[in-house]
Short mmCIF file of all heavy atoms in Angstrom, two decimals:
data_model
loop_
_atom_site.label_atom_id
_atom_site.label_comp_id
_atom_site.label_asym_id
_atom_site.label_seq_id
_atom_site.Cartn_x
_atom_site.Cartn_y
_atom_site.Cartn_z
N SER A 417 199.48 105.05 84.41
CA SER A 417 198.26 104.67 84.85
C SER A 417 197.41 105.67 85.46
O SER A 417 197.95 106.50 86.13
CB SER A 417 198.46 103.46 85.95
OG SER A 417 197.27 103.19 86.57
N PRO A 418 196.09 105.69 85.33
CA PRO A 418 195.23 106.66 85.93
C PRO A 418 195.05 106.32 87.42
O PRO A 418 194.56 107.23 88.16
CB PRO A 418 193.89 106.54 85.28
CG PRO A 418 193.85 105.19 84.60
CD PRO A 418 195.32 104.83 84.31
N LEU A 419 195.49 105.26 87.89
CA LEU A 419 195.41 104.93 89.28
C LEU A 419 196.52 105.60 90.11
O LEU A 419 197.60 105.76 89.65
CB LEU A 419 195.39 103.39 89.58
CG LEU A 419 194.19 102.59 89.06
CD1 LEU A 419 194.19 101.21 89.52
CD2 LEU A 419 192.85 103.38 89.38
N LYS A 420 196.34 105.73 91.39
CA LYS A 420 197.41 106.28 92.31
C LYS A 420 198.53 105.36 92.47
O LYS A 420 198.38 104.20 92.33
CB LYS A 420 196.93 106.40 93.74
CG LYS A 420 195.80 107.51 93.89
CD LYS A 420 195.67 107.80 95.37
CE LYS A 420 194.52 108.77 95.72
NZ LYS A 420 193.36 108.10 96.28
N ALA A 421 199.70 105.83 92.40
CA ALA A 421 200.94 105.15 92.44
C ALA A 421 200.83 104.06 93.53
O ALA A 421 201.40 102.97 93.41
CB ALA A 421 202.13 105.98 92.47
N GLU A 422 200.44 104.45 94.72
CA GLU A 422 200.52 103.35 95.79
C GLU A 422 199.65 102.14 95.63
O GLU A 422 199.92 101.14 96.04
CB GLU A 422 200.15 104.03 97.21
CG GLU A 422 198.60 104.46 97.19
CD GLU A 422 198.53 106.05 97.37
OE1 GLU A 422 199.29 106.82 96.75
OE2 GLU A 422 197.67 106.55 98.27
N ILE A 423 198.62 102.20 94.70
CA ILE A 423 197.75 101.07 94.44
C ILE A 423 198.52 100.10 93.50
O ILE A 423 198.30 98.93 93.60
CB ILE A 423 196.53 101.53 93.76
CG1 ILE A 423 195.61 102.41 94.61
CG2 ILE A 423 195.65 100.34 93.19
CD1 ILE A 423 194.35 102.87 94.07
N LEU A 424 199.46 100.74 92.77
CA LEU A 424 200.16 99.81 91.86
C LEU A 424 201.63 99.49 92.21
O LEU A 424 202.33 98.95 91.46
CB LEU A 424 200.20 100.55 90.46
CG LEU A 424 198.86 100.70 89.87
CD1 LEU A 424 198.84 101.67 88.77
CD2 LEU A 424 198.32 99.23 89.42
N GLU A 425 201.92 99.92 93.48
CA GLU A 425 203.34 99.58 93.87
C GLU A 425 203.64 98.15 93.87
O GLU A 425 202.86 97.29 94.28
CB GLU A 425 203.40 100.02 95.42
CG GLU A 425 204.72 100.71 95.64
CD GLU A 425 204.81 101.24 97.12
OE1 GLU A 425 204.30 102.36 97.31
OE2 GLU A 425 205.50 100.58 97.90
N GLY A 426 204.76 97.77 93.17
CA GLY A 426 205.10 96.41 93.02
C GLY A 426 204.71 95.93 91.55
O GLY A 426 204.99 94.79 91.27
N GLY A 427 203.98 96.76 90.82
CA GLY A 427 203.72 96.32 89.37
C GLY A 427 202.41 95.73 89.26
O GLY A 427 201.61 95.67 90.26
N LEU A 428 202.07 95.43 88.05
CA LEU A 428 200.76 94.85 87.68
C LEU A 428 200.88 93.85 86.68
O LEU A 428 201.49 94.17 85.64
CB LEU A 428 199.75 95.94 87.25
CG LEU A 428 198.33 95.45 87.13
CD1 LEU A 428 197.73 95.08 88.47
CD2 LEU A 428 197.48 96.44 86.42
N ASP A 429 200.39 92.68 86.80
CA ASP A 429 200.51 91.70 85.62
C ASP A 429 199.26 90.74 85.81
O ASP A 429 199.35 89.86 86.50
CB ASP A 429 201.88 90.91 85.79
CG ASP A 429 201.96 89.95 84.71
OD1 ASP A 429 201.06 89.77 83.87
OD2 ASP A 429 202.99 89.12 84.74
N ILE A 430 198.16 91.16 85.09
CA ILE A 430 196.86 90.36 85.03
C ILE A 430 196.79 89.70 83.77
O ILE A 430 197.16 90.31 82.75
CB ILE A 430 195.80 91.30 85.38
CG1 ILE A 430 195.98 92.02 86.61
CG2 ILE A 430 194.43 90.65 85.28
CD1 ILE A 430 194.79 93.03 86.89
N LEU A 431 196.20 88.48 83.69
CA LEU A 431 195.94 87.83 82.47
C LEU A 431 194.42 87.63 82.48
O LEU A 431 193.86 86.78 83.24
CB LEU A 431 196.57 86.56 82.27
CG LEU A 431 196.27 85.75 80.90
CD1 LEU A 431 196.72 86.55 79.72
CD2 LEU A 431 196.98 84.40 81.03
N VAL A 432 193.67 88.26 81.53
CA VAL A 432 192.27 88.09 81.39
C VAL A 432 192.08 86.92 80.37
O VAL A 432 192.55 86.99 79.26
CB VAL A 432 191.44 89.29 80.90
CG1 VAL A 432 190.03 89.05 80.76
CG2 VAL A 432 191.69 90.39 81.82
N VAL A 433 191.38 85.81 80.78
CA VAL A 433 191.16 84.76 79.84
C VAL A 433 189.59 84.85 79.56
O VAL A 433 188.77 84.43 80.39
CB VAL A 433 191.49 83.34 80.44
CG1 VAL A 433 191.08 82.28 79.60
CG2 VAL A 433 192.97 83.33 80.87
N ARG A 434 189.30 85.27 78.34
CA ARG A 434 187.86 85.50 77.96
C ARG A 434 187.42 84.39 77.09
O ARG A 434 188.10 84.07 76.08
CB ARG A 434 187.82 86.88 77.30
CG ARG A 434 186.60 87.20 76.68
CD ARG A 434 186.71 88.38 75.84
NE ARG A 434 185.44 88.74 75.09
CZ ARG A 434 185.41 89.55 73.99
NH1 ARG A 434 186.41 90.29 73.56
NH2 ARG A 434 184.22 89.68 73.38
N GLU A 435 186.23 83.79 77.37
CA GLU A 435 185.56 82.80 76.50
C GLU A 435 185.17 83.67 75.16
O GLU A 435 184.72 84.73 75.36
CB GLU A 435 184.41 82.28 77.13
CG GLU A 435 183.93 80.90 76.60
CD GLU A 435 183.43 81.02 75.20
OE1 GLU A 435 182.76 82.05 74.88
OE2 GLU A 435 183.67 80.04 74.38
#
Side-chain angles (χ1 to χ4, degrees):
S417 171
L419 295 189
K420 287 196 193 109
E422 67 245 38
I423 295 180
L424 293 164
E425 218 176 285
L428 187 72
D429 182 2
I430 299 174
L431 179 65
V432 179
V433 177
R434 169 188 178 194
E435 201 291 326

